[in-house]
Structure formats: structure tokens, C-alpha cells
Amino acid sequence: MKRVMPFVAMIKENLEKNGPRVLDLELEFDERAVLIENLVYLTNSLELEQIDVLFASEADDKVKEDCCPGKPFSVFRAEPGVSVSLVNPQPSTGLFTTKVDIRQGDSKDTIVRRLSKVNRLIKDLSRVKLMRYEDPLLGPRRVPVLGQEEYGKLPISSKSVFNINLEEKKVTLADNGFTVDIGDTLVYLIQ
């Protein structure tokens, strides 16, 4: 009953402002279709990792209570991750070492996209080559050799999936049935 009276007041106020069409049971457009159609724009402009558009019936009780047609309900959450250094060994690029969180199930493309949000000098994501050290312990400690930036490193394929262990702050990479520890440093090159 405590929710009915504010709802009636809201409907009455909307009726006075917008006329009898506020009493329609359906909107003139499909809210979900509009959100899905503009998902890329919303994700980029709000600088979010991901947006999930769900029906209220698929959500928890709090969302079901507060959601109604014409007034979508937003839930924001932060996924836990493990911080990894991304190093660019290329000379004279203006690109340096940066920290990026890797989250469970991330792909190469997700990491590159996250890197471009941190480092605004990266404009063309297709030119970024993400690599891991063959030896995750000694690799980051070796002095890079000019002109041999790829030496001692292996490319990360677009099919690879990152897995994290939050307790140990450890990141592994799964690809073609193999799982390898990547250590705490990855390398990115701009081709």
C-alpha cells in the first residue's frame, strides 16, 4: 500500500503534464530495442566495459520493484581484476608502461580496448599487437634490444582467454587447451 499512493501521484502528475497517453499499457517504442541498437555508443560514451540489457523479469527483486515502462533501472557494478603492467619497448613512440586490470574471461581484444582507454595515444586498435614473455619471470628483467622488440615474446591470439586468481593475484592465459602463467607484465607493440 505504501508504494501504491506514490505511484498514483506520479501517474496523476504525468497525466496532467502529458495527457491521456501516459495511461497506455505499452510505450510507443521498444525500449530494449533502442538500448540494444545504441549499445556501442552508450558503452563508449559512458566509458563502460560492458552493458547488459535485461528484462525486469530476469533481474533480482530490487530491480523488479523499481523498474517500470519508460523508467529503466540501471545497476552498476565493478568486476574484480588483477593489475598487470603493459610495457611498450618501442623507441620514440611516446608510449610507456601502464597498468591495466585483467578480469576473468577477458580476451586479447578486451585488453587492447582497455589499454586504449588508459592511453589515449592509441587510436587504431587493429595496429596493437599484444604479447607475453616466453619466460614470465626473467623476460621483464631483460634489457630490450633495439630493433628486436619481439625477441623472447610470444603473440597472444584473439582466441586466448585470460583467467585470474584473485587470492594469489595471478593471471593465466588459456589457448588451444594449454594454460600458461603470464606473470605480472605483458608487452604491446604498435605496428
Side-chain angles (χ1 to χ4, degrees), residues 85-156:
S85 295
L86 275 94
V87 178
N88 181 277
Q90 295 170 299
S92 307
T93 62
L95 301 170
F96 304 103
T97 300
T98 188
K99 292 265 189 188
V100 171
D101 279 350
I102 295 184
R103 298 183 179 100
Q104 181 62 33
D106 276 350
S107 66
K108 171 192 159 200
D109 294 337
T110 307
I111 303 300
V112 169
R113 198 168 41 253
R114 200 170 293 137
L115 172 66
S116 72
K117 287 181 180 180
V118 173
N119 190 334
R120 300 283 184 186
L121 293 174
I122 300 172
K123 303 292 184 204
D124 186 359
L125 303 184
S126 66
R127 294 183 56 215
V128 178
K129 184 174 186 177
L130 193 62
M131 305 181 82
R132 67 176 178 86
Y133 287 100
E134 288 178 22
D135 183 344
L137 294 176
L138 294 178
R141 297 178 182 182
R142 289 194 180 116
V143 176
V145 178
L146 187 62
Q148 296 181 1
E149 288 83 9
E150 295 186 24
Y151 177 76
K153 300 164 193 81
L154 299 170
I156 295 174

